[in-house]
Structures are given as structure tokens and as C-alpha cells.
Amino acid sequence: MARMLTDPLIVGRVIGDVLDSFTPTTKMFVTYGNKQVYNGHEFYPSAVITKPRVEIEGDDMRTFYTLVMVDPDVPGPSDPYLREHLQWLVTDIPGTTDATFGKELVSYENPRPNIGIHRFIFVLFKQRGRQTVKNFPTSRDYFNTRRFAADNELGLPVAAVFFNAQRETASRRR
């Protein structure tokens, strides 16, 4: 019970709003430049303009993964009626590599929150095999991570991490 109360994915409402409860089984490291993403840490939007490096410590090169990045707080956290907004989608990522070796189905869109603090969530799924993801999203808005996983028989995530970002004022930009 104590773990549940301190799990940052639960505290940050990632579990519940976007994902069902799961047990991480694969290590995933997301870095922008030299800064690693840790659950709940804040990044300035100006620091996440270019796509991050996503490293996966998977089983081996014969295991493939799908990476989904979403913003569930569009247009704002108090009324996220466009939930979820798809920021990035990469499939067929070989285990023990990074996302640049996968097939980018939806290009990286840099986070641009306008109202309030937004969560940007990276979710990693283990595929049943190569080129098994066939049901692609038709829009970035109204994306649903759970439905996408079910439609493509991906099961529960094997890893997830999120960061927070909010609109930068001119004085906060670096």
C-alpha cells in the first residue's frame, strides 16, 4: 500500500488518466541533451524542442517495442477536452537500442503548453513481433493510449515516464 501512495505515476495521475496499473519490466531512459527525464520533473518547453533520445534496455535485438508520447492535458489541465494529444509515435524499436532505430509513424511534436502545467508521458509497449502495429491514429487529438494498445494487441506498458511543462514567459526562457 505504501508503494502505491508514493509511486509517481499514481501521484501524477498518469495511472488512471492515461494508463491502467502495470508493473514495469523494461528499463527506458529518456534524455533531452544531457538531462534525463524523471517522473514529475519540470522541463522548459525551450529545452524539449528537439526529439529526445529514448534508450531501451530490452531483451535483445529480436524484441520490438512501440513508444507513445502523449499530452493528456490539452488544451488545459482543468478542462482537457482534447485528451489525449499524440506528440510522437515510434514502432518496431529493436530491444537494446534507442528510438532512432524504430519506424516513426507520427513525427515528434515539441511540447507547447498554453494553459497550466501539462504532463508529457512516454509509454513503452512490447510488441508481439516486428511490424505488428497496424492500426494507426488518424489524428493527434483525441488519441487514446489504452485503445491504441488494445487495437494493436500490445497489452500493458512495460515502462513509462513523464515530465511536466508549462508556458514560458519571456523572462523564463533560456
Side-chain angles (χ1 to χ4, degrees):
M1 182 74 170
R3 178 180 150 5
M4 286 183 64
L5 298 176
T6 59
D7 185 329
L9 294 175
I10 293 172
V11 173
R13 297 182 341 270
V14 171
I15 302 288
D17 286 354
V18 177
L19 303 173
D20 293 325
S21 186
F22 72 98
T23 301
T25 57
T26 302
K27 289 186 179 181
M28 173 177 66
F29 303 96
V30 179
T31 52
Y32 285 95
N34 62 354
K35 295 188 184 210
Q36 186 171 338
V37 174
Y38 293 100
N39 284 320
H41 286 206
E42 184 168 350
F43 278 80
Y44 292 122
S46 59
V48 294
I49 291 172
T50 58
K51 66 176 128 180
R53 179 173 175 83
V54 179
E55 297 176 77
I56 300 165
E57 288 186 5
D59 300 331
D60 58 40
M61 295 287 283
R62 295 169 297 186
T63 305
F64 296 93
Y65 296 89
T66 292
L67 175 72
V68 174
M69 180 186 178
V70 295
D71 175 357
D73 301 316
V74 176
S78 62
D79 186 20
Y81 63 85
L82 294 177
R83 175 177 291 166
E84 303 159 27
H85 182 79
L86 182 61
Q87 299 286 137
W88 195 26
L89 177 60
V90 184
T91 65
D92 295 330
I93 306 166
T96 72
T97 65
D98 65 71
T100 59
F101 288 93
K103 181 179 178 183
E104 189 175 65
L105 297 180
V106 177
S107 62
Y108 179 79
E109 182 178 272
N110 60 305
R112 294 184 302 261
N114 286 322
I115 304 166
I117 299 170
H118 289 235
R119 297 165 292 165
F120 293 91
I121 305 164
F122 295 89
V123 185
L124 189 68
F125 294 96
K126 186 175 181 178
Q127 295 175 203
R128 291 185 342 220
R130 189 176 193 145
Q131 297 179 347
T132 56
V133 175
K134 304 283 186 203
N135 298 305
F136 307 123
T138 56
S139 169
R140 288 183 184 263
D141 287 329
Y142 305 107
F143 183 78
N144 185 295
T145 302
R146 286 182 182 104
R147 186 173 47 242
F148 175 78
D151 290 348
N152 288 287
E153 300 178 9
L154 295 171
L156 290 173
V158 295
V161 67
F162 78 101
F163 68 90
N164 295 319
Q166 60 185 312
R167 185 176 181 182
E168 290 180 69
T169 60
S171 63
R172 283 182 50 193
R173 290 192 183 126
R174 295 179 185 189

